[in-house]
Amino acid sequence: MLGTFKSLITTMKLAFRPPVTAEYPTVAPALTPRFMAHPVLTWDKDVPEPYCTGCLVCMRICPTDCIDVAMMDNPKHAEGDSSRRKIVDYFELNVADCIMCGLCVEYCNFDAIIMSDNFDASQYARPNLVLDLEALLESGREQEARGRWSPPEARKSQRRAAAQGGGTAATGAGDAAEGEDRVAAARRRAAELRAQRAAERGETGEASAAPPSEASAGDERVAEARRRAAELRAQRAAERGETGETGAAPPAETGAGDERVAEARRRVAELRAQRAAERGETVETSAADTSQGEPDAADNQSEADRE
């Protein structure tokens, strides 16, 4: 009984609420400002011609390959009526394959593509979903008429402003002055930052403004590193039984190195003598050995003559 009473109360509450279902297509649905349907092309009323130059960026960036674009020379540029040297020849968009990702709009450099709100672009045949250049431009004009897009007046080039009789020289001078002001402000900020860092390290502003190779702190660090290297070399030389000066010299010039070389030579001479004795040959390894071996050779020769 209590459950039935609660259900009746809920029904009475919902009965007095306004309907939430839109009677489409009699009543148009309310779309959010960021709603995106398939992309369309924009039209430049000043020239007049499309903003699209056929640069193929949208076709290359499209993840589903639903865009086909071709470029041609702009005849209005040869006549001096347009600043665009190239213009779009044909533009085809397959709405059936488009995923409405918006990458073509993001990568377009000329504001030539916008995302529309044409949510009711359904057709009875798939070939009808392939939109050509004229259809896309017409949809773009509709989007502009509904206030979803406005021409980029602030981003017009200086050549177009000069062709329209605008004050290009004054604008260019103002931009140059503004750029110089920004550069000067950036330099001041950099100088203040260097001074602040120098103050934190306990240095003067002149030392911080100077290059690191000329700064006193840099010289002190270099000298300290050199002292440490000298101490390390002296310690290693002491471990090898050498003096500091001997350790700084190359190993080939040290006394210990000469002793090792002489010891190695003696070992080689003994080894050669041993091998020669095994073969029954005489050994003439050095001048000292030769001088000592000559009497023995003479005695041997005299003994052979006596025999």
Side-chain angles (χ1 to χ4, degrees):
M1 186 66 180
L2 182 59
T4 304
F5 185 71
K6 289 182 178 180
S7 62
L8 289 174
I9 294 176
T10 303
T11 304
M12 295 300 292
K13 288 181 179 180
L14 296 177
F16 294 101
R17 287 185 180 180
V20 295
T21 303
E23 297 294 336
Y24 177 81
T26 305
V27 179
L31 302 177
T32 60
R34 298 180 63 182
F35 178 82
M36 294 193 310
H38 65 83
V40 295
L41 298 179
T42 58
W43 181 260
D44 189 359
K45 296 180 180 180
D46 298 335
V47 178
E49 62 185 7
Y51 278 101
C52 180
T53 60
C55 64
L56 311 181
V57 171
C58 56
M59 184 177 69
R60 294 171 181 173
I61 202 63
C62 181
T64 58
D65 294 331
C66 65
I67 299 177
D68 191 11
V69 189
M71 178 191 296
M72 70 174 183
D73 295 332
N74 190 3
K76 293 184 180 181
H77 178 73
E79 298 173 359
D81 297 334
S82 175
S83 61
R84 300 180 181 91
R85 299 180 181 179
K86 300 293 183 178
I87 200 69
V88 59
D89 186 11
Y90 74 91
F91 196 109
E92 290 186 354
L93 171 67
N94 190 350
V95 181
D97 295 337
C98 181
I99 60 176
M100 289 76 171
C101 62
L103 289 177
C104 55
V105 178
E106 182 178 354
Y107 280 86
C108 182
N109 298 317
F110 307 101
D111 294 323
I113 310 178
I114 60 173
M115 301 301 291
S116 67
D117 59 353
N118 298 332
F119 65 94
D120 54 351
S122 59
Q123 298 291 337
Y124 288 101
R126 292 182 65 88
N128 296 335
L129 292 174
V130 180
L131 305 180
D132 57 0
L133 178 61
E134 295 299 330
L136 294 172
L137 289 174
E138 182 63 27
S139 298
R141 295 190 188 97
E142 294 177 358
Q143 296 296 312
E144 183 180 0
R146 289 203 291 267
R148 286 184 58 89
W149 178 80
S150 59
E153 297 290 343
R155 284 184 262 181
K156 287 186 177 180
S157 62
Q158 295 183 358
R159 289 180 298 177
R160 180 179 299 175
Q164 294 175 354
T168 308
T171 305
D175 294 342
E178 185 180 356
E180 293 178 358
D181 294 340
R182 287 197 297 268
V183 171
R187 289 177 178 174
R188 285 195 300 270
R189 292 174 185 172
E192 293 175 358
L193 183 59
R194 286 197 298 268
Q196 180 180 359
R197 292 180 178 176
E200 293 176 356
R201 295 194 301 267
E203 303 173 359
T204 61
E206 292 76 12
S208 61
S213 59
E214 300 178 1
S216 59
D219 296 340
E220 293 177 0
R221 288 194 294 269
V222 172
E224 182 65 22
R226 289 177 178 175
R227 284 196 298 270
R228 292 178 182 176
E231 293 175 0
L232 183 60
R233 286 197 298 268
Q235 180 180 359
R236 292 179 178 177
E239 293 176 356
R240 293 195 301 266
E242 304 170 2
T243 61
E245 293 76 13
T246 307
E253 299 177 2
T254 59
D258 295 340
E259 294 178 0
R260 287 195 295 270
V261 172
E263 181 66 22
R265 288 177 180 176
R266 284 195 296 271
R267 291 179 183 177
V268 171
E270 293 175 359
L271 183 60
R272 285 202 297 265
Q274 181 180 358
R275 291 180 179 177
E278 293 176 356
R279 293 195 301 268
E281 301 174 358
T282 60
V283 182
E284 297 178 2
T285 57
S286 60
D289 297 339
T290 304
S291 61
Q292 295 177 2
E294 287 177 355
D296 297 338
D299 296 340
N300 294 336
Q301 184 67 26
S302 60
E303 291 178 359
D305 295 338
R306 286 195 299 271
E307 290 177 358

